[in-house]
């Protein structure tokens, strides 16, 4: 019913299939309410994510190894002991801002996971905004396990997980096959959810709509880049398909740690008249909300939908431009 469910189930399958317990995830990642991924690696120490409710283990390193995205040497080192069941990753990181894979990174990830008998789970829940085939299709990736959720049923609660032929055959041959305790729930795969997925894939997440959405998202990206350039801001703008966001750093970070920590000094604004200091992000969200634009609650992130119009995109751009004008004018 949710991508969190799908990821949890996928990790259970990966553990049983490989006979290994540990999971590898990337710093700054988010895969839903999945305990194995709700931790942070701070300078080599793995701790439960701040605010985590009811952690199942005090020391998350008994179930998780966590390294940085885009670091091939760290990946090799982490998988070499051959005790990791599965690497869970987004194909492009999205939850600490957009972090794109460096050239060759996905090839290395696939090669090294195979070398050490570790399964590769691609969680496409957010990055499906890349196009009708997601980043997995765009980049021709070859995961063992694949998860999608969120808008896969057009807003109706549903998610999907798929396995390679080899794992599917193993699941079907597992004895007794009908007793897979701890997997799914009564409503998993219910008829309405499946109908929702079919409807969304046929009528919303199709090539025609994505052509429209990506065209407008490109307009948004170029418009934001022009605002940044004109005001000489140390910000960057990034896009995956129909998702566009800007962040308060001179260039895109390479991994989760950079994204989590580097932005902090930039994400502050002084409202001298009022004697206030606070996060720039909050100001931007409030400024937009007061002008009829609701940004998603995380990051300066906007998704172009099938019904979004050019006028709406231009309205958003002029609102951001007006805000930046106000902030940069003495
Ligand atoms: C990449 C990714 N996977 C999974 C999830 C979990 O989705 P849900 O909250 O619908 O279970 C999220 C939620 O933000 C996500 O970003």
């Amino acid at each position: 019913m949710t991508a969190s469910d799908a990821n949890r189930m996928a990790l259970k399958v990966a553990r049983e299939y490989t006979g290994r317990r540990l999971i590898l995830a990337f710093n700054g990642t988010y895969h839903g309410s999945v305990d194995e991924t709700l931790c942070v690696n701070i300078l080599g120490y793995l701790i439960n994510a701040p605010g985590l409710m009811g952690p199942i283990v005090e020391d998350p390193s008994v179930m998780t190894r966590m390294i940085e995205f885009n670091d091939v040497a760290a990946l090799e080192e982490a998988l070499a002991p051959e005790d990791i069941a599965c690497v869970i990753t987004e194909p492009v990181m999205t939850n600490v801002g957009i972090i794109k894979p460096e050239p060759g990174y996905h090839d290395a990830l696939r090669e090294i996971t195979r070398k050490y008998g570790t399964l590769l789970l691609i969680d496409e829940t957010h990055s499906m905004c890349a196009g009708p085939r997601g980043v997995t299709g765009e980049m021709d990736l070859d995961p063992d396990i694949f998860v999608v959720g969120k808008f896969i049923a057009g807003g109706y609660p549903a998610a999907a997980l798929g396995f390679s032929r080899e794992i599917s055959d193993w699941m079907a041959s597992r004895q007794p096959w009908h007793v897979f305790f701890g997997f799914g729930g009564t409503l998993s795969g219910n008829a309405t959810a499946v109908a929702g997925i079919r409807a969304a894939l046929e009528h919303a997440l199709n090539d025609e709509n994505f052509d429209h959405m990506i065209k407008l998202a490109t307009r948004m990206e170029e418009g934001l880049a022009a605002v940044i350039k004109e005001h000489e801001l140390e910000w960057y703008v990034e896009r995956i398909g129909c998702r566009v966001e800007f962040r308060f750093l001179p260039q895109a970070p390479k991994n989760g740690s950079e994204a989590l920590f580097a932005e902090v000094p930039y994400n502050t604004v002084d409202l001298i008249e009022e004697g206030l200091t606070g996060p720039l992000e909050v100001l931007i969200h409030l400024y937009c909300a007061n002008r009829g634009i609701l940004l998603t609650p995380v990051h300066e992130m906007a998704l172009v939908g099938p019904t979004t119009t050019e006028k709406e995109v231009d309205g958003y751009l002029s609102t951001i431009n007006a805000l930046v004008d106000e902030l940069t004018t003495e």
Side-chain angles (χ1 to χ4, degrees):
M1 297 300 291
T2 67
S4 297
D5 285 344
N7 280 325
R8 277 196 297 265
M9 298 312 127
L11 294 184
K12 288 185 185 207
V13 171
R15 286 210 190 88
E16 178 158 326
Y17 184 76
T18 57
R20 301 176 181 178
R21 189 171 60 170
L22 282 161
I23 300 300
L24 184 132
F26 295 103
N27 219 13
T29 210
Y30 184 69
H31 296 283
S33 48
V34 179
D35 287 323
E36 292 88 337
T37 60
L38 291 171
C39 24
V40 198
N41 182 339
I42 300 183
L43 303 173
Y45 292 97
L46 195 62
I47 56 164
N48 286 308
L52 177 65
M53 180 183 280
I56 54 171
V57 287
E58 287 301 318
D59 175 6
S61 66
V62 299
M63 58 183 183
T64 307
R65 203 161 281 157
M66 187 164 261
I67 59 167
E68 300 296 345
F69 193 67
N70 273 329
D71 187 340
V72 174
L75 182 69
E76 177 107 38
E77 195 186 329
L79 298 195
E82 303 199 350
D83 54 358
I84 305 270
C86 183
V87 171
I88 177 170
T89 185
E90 291 186 273
V92 173
M93 287 187 82
T94 64
N95 281 298
V96 277
I98 295 171
I99 303 179
K100 292 192 167 163
E102 289 183 339
Y105 181 68
H106 272 296
D107 290 339
L109 176 61
R110 186 60 283 197
E111 199 186 307
I112 296 170
T113 44
R114 286 220 168 96
K115 180 170 163 193
Y116 295 112
T118 296
L119 299 179
L120 175 61
L121 188 171
I122 297 276
D123 175 359
E124 192 83 60
T125 300
H126 270 184
S127 47
M128 250 191 79
C129 58
R133 286 153 287 277
V135 176
T136 301
E138 298 286 326
M139 293 188 71
D140 202 16
L141 305 180
D142 184 22
D144 301 296
I145 309 177
F146 179 77
V147 165
V148 275
K150 296 211 177 173
F151 54 86
I152 189 69
Y156 191 84
L161 70 165
F163 299 94
S164 65
R165 167 65 56 203
E166 211 182 336
I167 302 174
S168 305
D169 289 347
W170 165 81
M171 284 173 81
S173 68
R174 187 186 181 278
Q175 293 298 331
W177 64 266
H178 55 286
V179 184
F180 227 140
F181 282 131
F183 190 87
T186 310
L187 298 178
S188 299
N190 72 73
T192 322
V194 175
I197 292 175
R198 176 175 283 270
L201 289 178
E202 278 181 15
H203 303 294
L205 306 173
N206 53 30
D207 286 312
E208 195 189 336
N209 279 342
F210 264 104
D211 282 349
H212 166 78
M213 297 187 306
I214 291 175
K215 197 169 128 224
L216 284 190
T218 307
R219 184 181 179 90
M220 191 185 281
E221 180 189 22
E222 288 168 359
L224 288 169
V227 173
I228 292 170
K229 189 162 178 220
E230 192 189 320
H231 295 85
E232 296 176 1
L233 300 170
E234 290 191 305
W235 297 359
Y236 73 93
V237 57
E238 195 63 280
R239 180 178 66 81
I240 323 174
C242 62
R243 174 177 173 142
V244 184
E245 58 190 52
F246 59 96
R247 303 297 303 270
F248 318 123
L249 277 175
Q251 72 273 323
K254 202 171 84 181
N255 58 44
S257 282
E258 279 185 26
L260 286 169
F261 305 118
E263 197 184 50
V264 177
Y266 294 91
N267 189 5
T268 317
V269 64
D270 296 315
L271 298 178
I272 291 151
E273 258 173 59
E274 287 84 357
L276 291 173
T277 296
L280 183 52
E281 180 156 309
V282 174
L283 177 70
I284 291 176
H285 284 232
L286 192 62
Y287 191 94
C288 286
N290 283 338
R291 286 152 187 83
I293 298 168
L294 272 181
L295 282 177
T296 50
V298 284
H299 323 150
E300 280 49 61
M301 192 266 273
L303 278 159
V304 174
T307 56
T308 308
T309 61
E310 200 171 285
K311 197 167 156 219
E312 285 166 336
V313 170
D314 291 349
Y316 171 57
L317 290 173
S318 59
T319 305
I320 297 296
N321 194 47
L323 166 69
V324 172
D325 267 347
E326 280 189 51
L327 283 177
T328 51
T329 308
E330 285 298 317

